[in-house]
């Protein structure tokens, strides 16, 4: 089988590898679509503490079950499925506190930029969902990033229906969290600097504001009758934007760090706002199996809406080009089809 093996910064090679052997409680998946995530791009260009080369990247994927282990009766070869790239253990302190996304003992798959992928038993038990007939392999790759978005929304700790939420950054994650908010009866506003991205968000039916042309502070003042937003979700990896977000949020509201920042980043925040105004600063990372199932439900209720996010398709052999195209912002969401 062919795999795209990440060998270090700016190095990735397509290699012939053996199809993985599976044991009695595992599944072999034939990958059909794998989407490229910001994390993959970051890893390719800058390295990542979680991915030590050589390894195979890719964690947003769907496919066809090729083989099942002897002990598995719930799934059959030929079934179309979406699969979580990791799953929580269910037993650690964090899992017991319903924080499966930060489980201390997750089980992982290796990486989906490969023709076949072995699915370990823990993920077989809780992380595989059969696709209904309307769901394409491509749109199913969005279940994972949408699950992360649903975790982000849940971390806001209030019902988002009819709330005023500003999403800063109209990249794939900003768009996805905005679509999820819309499905939950909240009309978010995306602020973004790129003309093209603003147009794209508008075509998805999302309210937008150009941060190049409009003063965000003034906009928020008008939009909320001087009250401020209920929440500002920062879907950009720029510390200053997080600091700025406090200017737009109301008393008792929340600022959420939705995009990962480098480990040594430092923020300058006025503690007055957090103490006297009770503004929460929250973060979110990854998803639990519950978010994954909820994300599948949400996508299967409007696959045609989510499908619009996928703008470019590639073959595995072009993987380097995909990374460069995303880096140069030529692409919103790219998938590799097998
Ligand atoms: Zn991802
Ligand atoms: Zn756990």
């Amino acid at each position: 089988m062919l795999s795209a093996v990440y060998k270090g910064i700016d190095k990735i090679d397509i290699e012939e590898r053996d199809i993985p052997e599976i044991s009695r409680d595992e599944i072999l998946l034939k990958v059909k679509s794998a989407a490229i995530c910001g994390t993959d791009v970051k890893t390719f260009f800058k390295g990542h503490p979680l991915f030590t080369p050589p390894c195979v990247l890719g964690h947003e994927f769907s496919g066809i079950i090729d083989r099942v282990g002897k002990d598995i009766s719930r799934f059959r070869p030929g079934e179309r499925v979406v699969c979580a790239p990791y799953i929580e253990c269910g037993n650690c302190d964090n899992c017991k506190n319903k924080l499966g996304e930060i489980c201390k003992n997750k089980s992982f798959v290796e990486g989906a930029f490969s023709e076949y992928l072995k699915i370990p038993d823990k993920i077989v038990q809780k992380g595989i969902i059969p696709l209904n007939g309307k769901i394409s392999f491509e749109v199913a790759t969005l279940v994972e990033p949408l699950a992360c978005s649903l975790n982000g929304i849940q971390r806001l700790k209030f019902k988002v229906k009819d709330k005023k939420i500003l999403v800063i950054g109209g990249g794939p994650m900003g768009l996805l969290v905005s679509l999820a908010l819309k499905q939950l009866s909240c009309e978010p506003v995306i602020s973004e600097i790129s003309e093209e991205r603003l147009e794209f968000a508008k075509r998805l039916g999302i309210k937008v504001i150009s941060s190049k042309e409009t003063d965000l502070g003034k906009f928020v003042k008008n939009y909320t009758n001087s009250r401020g937003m209920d929440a500002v979700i920062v879907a950009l990896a720029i510390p200053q934007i997080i600091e700025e977000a406090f200017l737009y949020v109301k008393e008792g509201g929340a600022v959420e760090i939705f995009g990962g920042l480098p480990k040594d980043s430092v923020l300058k925040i006025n503690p007055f706002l957090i103490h006297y105004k009770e503004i929460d600063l929250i973060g979110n990372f990854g998803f639990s199996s519950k978010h994954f199932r909820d994300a599948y439900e949400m996508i299967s209720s409007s696959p045609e809406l989510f499908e619009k996010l996928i703008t470019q398709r590639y073959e595995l052999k072009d993987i380097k080009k995909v990374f460069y195209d995303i880096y140069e912002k030529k692409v919103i969401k790219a998938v590799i089809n097998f």
Side-chain angles (χ1 to χ4, degrees), residues 216-228:
L216 263 183
K218 276 189 198 145
F219 165 78
V220 170
K221 219 171 164 188
N222 286 333
Y223 188 66
T224 64
N225 273 330
S226 299
R227 277 194 281 271

Side-chain angles (χ1 to χ4, degrees), residues 22-38:
I22 54 163
S23 62
R24 53 201 308 155
D25 48 11
E26 295 175 330
I27 277 179
L28 183 69
L29 185 78
K30 189 172 187 344
V31 180
K32 293 298 289 177
S33 275
I36 289 89
C37 168

Side-chain angles (χ1 to χ4, degrees), residues 37 39 59-60 144-145:
C37 168
T39 308
H59 55 266
E60 304 174 355
E144 195 269 356

Side-chain angles (χ1 to χ4, degrees), residues 14 65 83 119 156 167 169 188 195 203 249 265 287 296 314 336:
I14 307 292
I65 293 179
C83 184
I119 312 297
L156 293 173
V167 176
E195 222 38 72
R203 271 183 270 136
V249 75
S265 309
F287 61 90
Y296 174 76
Y314 296 81
I336 292 172

